[in-house]
Amino acid sequence: MSITSERTSAPGAARRTPAELPLTKLGPSFGAEIRGIDLSRLTDDQVTGVREALVEHKVLFVRGQDLDDTAQIEFGRRLGEVTVGHPIHDSGDVAPEVYALDSQENGFSDVWHTDVTFVRRPPAVSVLRAVVLPPNGGDTTWADSQLAYESLSPGLRTCLDPLTAVHDGNRAFGYYLAQRRQGQGNLWEGEAFTELTPVEHPVVRVHPESGRKGLFVNPGFTSHIAGVSEYESRGILDILYAHLTKPEHLVRHRWQPGDVALWDNRSTAHYANRDYGDQHRVMHRITLRGDTPVGPTDPR
Ligand SMILES: O=C(O)CCC(=O)C(=O)O
Ligand SMILES: [Fe+2]
């Protein structure tokens, strides 16, 4: 599917104007840069184009934007339902929808992860904006979970398809939550987060829009594979993580002021380099509501 080519419509269906989004692909099937758009003044067609490009290319970069938090949230609202910034993290001085990662406040993401997979319905999409950048370093890298799944051998894919894994936010956020006033987190989808109860997700996720299968485990939040020994779980996860992060499956972004990155959180993982010493780096993220992950053997 190409978002710049005409779409075919069912006979009698209204023909949609093709969204005009000039895309530069960054890899054969993963990552793209969109040029010549202003995220604060998108036409409806461009919004459709961005949504479709996200599912197809999984991580998109848009340079030269002039967004503040309000404009970033407004852009998110054009794409979907904006969640609170984080179920646990106190948004502090910024809007409740924003998750601010500030290197001076220990805001680092130098562990491979998919955002917020320790809740029942992890976000579908994340939108990240560079606010303060170090002179060098602080690149972010994304991994394509679908390409990684598809490039495993068929026998291993068959073994993985029925498995589930436990995701636990305690290692990353348990201490933080305990320190918050009365152990009170935020309201996430109407639910007050007072504890981090581990959740179970399929190891292989069927994308709700494309139907493509992708690995849905990550070192940040997956504690173990359910129903196998600890030894087997460790072995399986080690293989999957090494495979997921092979260079062929990655796109690395060197940030410039004005850059915005958005990714499909259902089909990717990411990692932010912490290689800039004491230099200051601040990123603001918003997330869009997602659905319950479904595996290949789950009834749909
Ligand atoms: O700081 C970054 O580049 C990425 C941070 C991160 O993991 C996120 O925004 O979800
Ligand atoms: Fe993240």
Side-chain angles (χ1 to χ4, degrees):
M1 178 179 60
S2 160
I3 57 164
T4 49
S5 63
E6 289 210 345
R7 299 182 185 85
T8 48
S9 351
R15 205 180 178 80
R16 282 189 295 165
T17 317
E20 286 179 21
L21 282 189
L23 283 184
T24 307
K25 286 168 71 165
L26 300 174
S29 67
F30 180 43
E33 185 174 334
I34 308 179
R35 296 181 191 275
I37 61 167
D38 177 347
L39 295 180
S40 64
R41 317 164 79 89
L42 292 178
T43 64
D44 289 346
D45 270 352
Q46 286 175 327
V47 171
T48 306
V50 170
R51 282 206 200 103
E52 292 181 2
L54 252 184
V55 174
E56 185 175 349
H57 300 283
K58 295 162 230 178
V59 57
L60 302 174
F61 302 98
V62 194
R63 296 198 186 262
Q65 302 300 298
D66 187 20
L67 304 184
D68 57 12
D69 286 349
T70 307
Q72 186 176 359
I73 295 166
E74 278 311 310
F75 166 59
R77 291 203 175 116
R78 301 285 308 276
L79 289 181
E81 192 182 324
V82 176
T83 65
V84 293
H86 196 272
I88 304 301
H89 201 268
D90 183 2
S91 56
D93 294 343
V94 297
E97 293 89 348
V98 171
Y99 178 37
L101 285 133
D102 185 331
S103 61
Q104 290 178 346
E105 289 165 18
N106 210 25
F108 301 106
S109 279
D110 54 337
V111 175
W112 279 103
H113 67 284
T114 298
D115 290 332
V116 199
T117 61
F118 53 88
V119 300
R120 282 199 300 275
R121 285 179 297 278
V125 172
S126 300
V127 180
L128 185 66
R129 176 168 66 93
V131 178
V132 177
L133 290 174
N136 287 291
D139 294 3
T140 309
T141 303
W142 283 262
D144 182 337
S145 317
Q146 294 176 338
L147 196 55
Y149 175 79
E150 287 158 11
S151 59
L152 288 170
S153 58
L156 185 51
R157 291 200 302 254
T158 307
C159 290
L160 296 174
D161 278 356
L163 295 179
T164 60
V166 176
H167 295 240
D168 186 346
N170 276 295
R171 192 178 40 181
F173 295 108
Y175 180 75
Y176 183 91
L177 178 61
Q179 300 305 304
R180 280 196 70 178
R181 196 159 50 90
Q182 294 165 342
Q184 190 74 29
N186 300 321
L187 263 190
W188 178 271
E189 296 195 331
E191 193 185 334
F193 258 80
T194 50
E195 57 186 348
L196 283 156
T197 311
V199 297
E200 215 163 299
H201 293 307
V203 166
V204 176
R205 181 172 189 178
V206 179
H207 194 284
E209 294 182 58
S210 67
R212 277 178 80 177
K213 294 191 219 171
L215 296 177
F216 198 66
V217 284
N218 69 86
F221 302 124
T222 307
S223 57
H224 61 281
I225 310 254
V228 302
S229 69
E230 195 182 330
Y231 169 75
E232 289 168 326
S233 168
R234 190 68 270 145
I236 296 168
L237 289 175
D238 282 349
I239 290 174
L240 296 184
Y241 296 155
H243 184 70
L244 175 67
T245 55
K246 269 177 72 174
E248 290 89 332
H249 304 149
L250 305 182
V251 162
R252 175 168 173 163
H253 187 65
R254 181 159 300 168
W255 293 92
Q256 290 173 6
D259 283 0
V260 174
L262 48 154
W263 59 94
D264 190 329
N265 197 52
R266 300 162 293 191
S267 53
T268 55
H270 54 281
Y271 180 108
N273 285 6
R274 185 175 172 180
D275 56 357
Y276 43 90
D278 294 336
Q279 301 287 342
H280 197 194
R281 181 177 185 273
V282 182
M283 310 295 280
H284 282 189
R285 186 187 86 190
I286 59 165
T287 42
L288 307 185
R289 183 176 180 160
D291 55 4
T292 306
V294 170
T297 59
D298 290 343
R300 262 182 283 171

